[in-house]
């Protein structure tokens, strides 16, 4: 790397393909990246990257990025999606609450880290589209701390929304949720949590008894593999360094290929690799066209739920000239 190359700061989760940039195995042509310690899971930097924007590059939850853009935050992105997930995996209900089917959520109090946080937006859309559950019939209870996504006063679209402490079951920098105090107290009837949700115990159980079957049902009904995170950039940084988006995209494509070649895990992003492979979901690839359906699905969900005021086109969300060729990277 040229010693005179511009030095930029970046906050990415140290996992999957991004780890190859963090450990220096893959570099961004023409730039030197100085990484902050975001740990394995990047949610600890989400809130900063839509409020103070302290880094040039930052991994961000996809719905957060759409909301931040809609609120006029000076952010853009490259069509790179380090992680994907199925929010059905993290939906839990309180035992004895009488919730045996998604339709039973009507009139109940459902805890979320924040109304606009990624699993909540995706799962509300899935409930409405697949199970004919009107999310406006549900009382949404936001965690009053909201470590994921505080600092923007975005709209809630006329939904029933309350705030309460004790919904965030995450411990420190980790992302494996533990017990949710509000569930244990009986203050909420269900919780939509990240990363598979809190483990079943004498307080909670999964909303979907067979979680993988619920994911399969969504896919069979024409659903998408939901995007979890996207790589964002400060617009001011892109204006100063117009070659950065393409260089970063190329590096991330190379990192994804390296990850595909190296992975020998039986589990990928909380799901069995064999299951993902059988469904044609992995190996995956970056770029707009190959991910357009999932991008437009999230735009639709955010728009229908009223958390964004304008409805962008998929191409509007990403740096000009960085669309990707849509080829499968494996």
């Amino acid at each position: 790397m040229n010693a005179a190359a511009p030095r930029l700061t970046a906050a990415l989760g140290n996992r999957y393909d991004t780890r190859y940039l963090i450990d220096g195995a893959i570099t961004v042509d023409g730039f030197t990246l100085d990484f902050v310690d975001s740990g394995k899971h990047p949610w600890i930097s989400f809130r900063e990257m839509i409020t103070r924007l302290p880094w040039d590059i930052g991994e961000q939850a996809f719905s957060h990025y759409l909301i931040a853009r809609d609120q006029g935050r000076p952010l853009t992105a490259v069509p790179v999606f380090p992680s994907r997930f199925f929010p059905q995996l993290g939906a839990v209900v309180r035992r004895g609450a009488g919730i045996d089917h998604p339709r039973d959520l009507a009139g109940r109090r459902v805890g979320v880290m924040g109304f606009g946080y990624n699993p909540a937006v995706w799962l509300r859309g899935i409930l409405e589209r697949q199970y004919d559950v009107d999310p406006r019939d549900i009382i949404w209870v936001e965690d009053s701390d909201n470590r994921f996504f505080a600092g923007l006063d975005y709209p809630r679209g006329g939904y029933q929304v309350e705030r309460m402490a004790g919904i965030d079951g995450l411990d420190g920098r980790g992302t494996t949720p533990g017990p949710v105090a509000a569930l244990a107290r009986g203050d909420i009837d269900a919780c939509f949590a990240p990363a598979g949700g809190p483990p079943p115990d004498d307080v909670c159980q999964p909303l979907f008894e067979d979680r993988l079957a619920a994911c399969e049902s969504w896919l069979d009904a024409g659903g998408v593999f939901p995007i979890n995170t996207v790589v964002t950039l400060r617009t001011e940084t892109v204006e100063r360094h117009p070659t950065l988006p393409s260089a970063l995209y190329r590096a991330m494509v190379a990192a994804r290929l390296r990850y595909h070649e190296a992975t020998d895990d039986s589990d990928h992003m909380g799901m069995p690799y064999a299951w993902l492979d059988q469904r044609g979901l992995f190996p995956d690839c970056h770029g707009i066209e190959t991910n357009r359906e999932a991008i437009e699905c999230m735009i639709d969900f955010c728009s229908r739920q009223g958390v964004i005021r304008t409805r962008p086109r998929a191409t509007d969300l990403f740096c000009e000239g960085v669309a990707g060729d849509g080829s499968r990277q494996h």
Side-chain angles (χ1 to χ4, degrees):
M1 180 66 66
N2 188 335
R7 302 191 74 93
L8 304 177
T9 54
L12 304 175
N14 192 356
R15 57 180 182 171
Y16 311 134
D17 52 353
T18 51
R19 69 182 187 231
Y20 296 112
L21 275 77
I22 292 172
D23 69 12
I26 291 176
T27 59
V28 178
D29 187 30
F31 298 89
T32 298
L33 301 189
D34 295 324
F35 290 93
V36 302
D37 182 11
S38 294
K40 184 177 180 181
H41 304 288
W43 68 264
I44 62 172
S45 60
F46 285 172
R47 185 160 64 178
E48 292 292 288
M49 197 58 189
I50 54 92
T51 52
R52 296 192 306 111
L53 280 75
W55 308 293
D56 297 295
I57 301 164
E59 190 175 349
Q60 183 61 264
F62 194 35
S63 67
H64 299 183
Y65 171 57
L66 266 66
I67 294 169
R69 283 273 303 222
D70 186 69
Q71 293 285 312
R73 302 305 295 158
L75 282 171
T76 184
V78 289
V80 167
F81 311 102
S83 71
R84 304 165 189 268
F85 74 130
F86 286 98
Q88 295 93 326
L89 301 176
V92 299
V93 301
R94 182 166 47 82
R95 293 186 185 275
I99 303 174
D100 301 312
H101 187 276
R103 61 175 173 267
D104 298 326
L105 292 170
R108 302 306 184 94
R109 299 165 62 81
V110 177
V112 291
M113 306 294 188
F115 185 79
Y117 102 117
N118 220 46
V121 173
W122 276 115
L123 200 42
R124 276 195 299 269
I126 291 170
L127 288 174
E128 185 170 30
R129 180 175 294 184
Q130 185 178 4
Y131 297 98
D132 199 28
V133 174
D134 188 343
R136 288 177 174 79
D137 292 337
I138 296 170
I139 302 167
W140 299 96
V141 184
E142 293 184 295
D143 192 286
S144 55
D145 180 41
N146 192 0
R147 291 188 285 169
F148 278 57
F149 193 47
L152 290 185
D153 187 22
Y154 60 91
R156 267 64 170 176
Y159 288 76
Q160 303 175 76
V161 181
E162 301 176 0
R163 289 181 174 83
M164 177 188 299
I167 296 171
D168 182 347
L170 296 172
D171 180 20
R173 297 168 69 85
T175 192
T176 302
V180 176
L183 269 178
R185 295 194 304 263
D187 293 336
I188 58 176
D189 303 299
C191 182
F192 294 171
D201 57 18
D202 58 352
V203 172
C204 73
Q205 64 187 31
L207 171 61
F208 302 98
E209 182 177 2
D210 187 331
R211 299 181 185 189
L212 279 182
C215 300
E216 286 189 356
S217 177
W218 163 244
L219 293 171
D220 290 342
V224 301
F225 191 6
I227 293 170
N228 189 24
T229 62
V230 61
V231 174
T232 63
L233 306 89
R234 292 191 307 205
T235 53
E236 181 270 337
T237 300
V238 174
E239 289 167 357
R240 282 190 293 113
H241 304 290
T243 63
L244 173 63
S246 293
L248 179 61
Y249 179 80
R250 290 193 301 270
M252 292 301 302
V253 167
R256 199 65 178 177
L257 178 59
R258 176 85 53 100
Y259 175 59
H260 290 157
E261 293 172 341
T263 187
D264 56 2
D265 298 331
S266 60
D267 181 90
H268 171 74
M269 301 186 187
M271 294 159 286
Y273 173 84
W275 182 85
L276 290 168
D277 181 57
Q278 182 181 25
R279 301 292 314 201
L281 302 177
F282 188 84
D284 57 356
C285 56
H286 299 314
I288 294 177
E289 288 308 317
T290 192
N291 294 287
R292 182 178 290 274
E293 191 175 0
I295 295 167
E296 292 182 344
C297 187
M298 175 52 97
I299 293 172
D300 181 62
F301 285 176
C302 284
S303 178
R304 290 174 64 87
Q305 295 172 30
V307 296
I308 58 175
R309 299 160 297 186
T310 58
R311 188 181 181 117
R313 297 175 301 173
T315 51
D316 294 337
L317 300 174
F318 304 102
C319 298
E320 186 175 355
V322 187
D325 61 9
S327 61
R328 188 162 294 276
Q329 298 143 18
H330 67 98

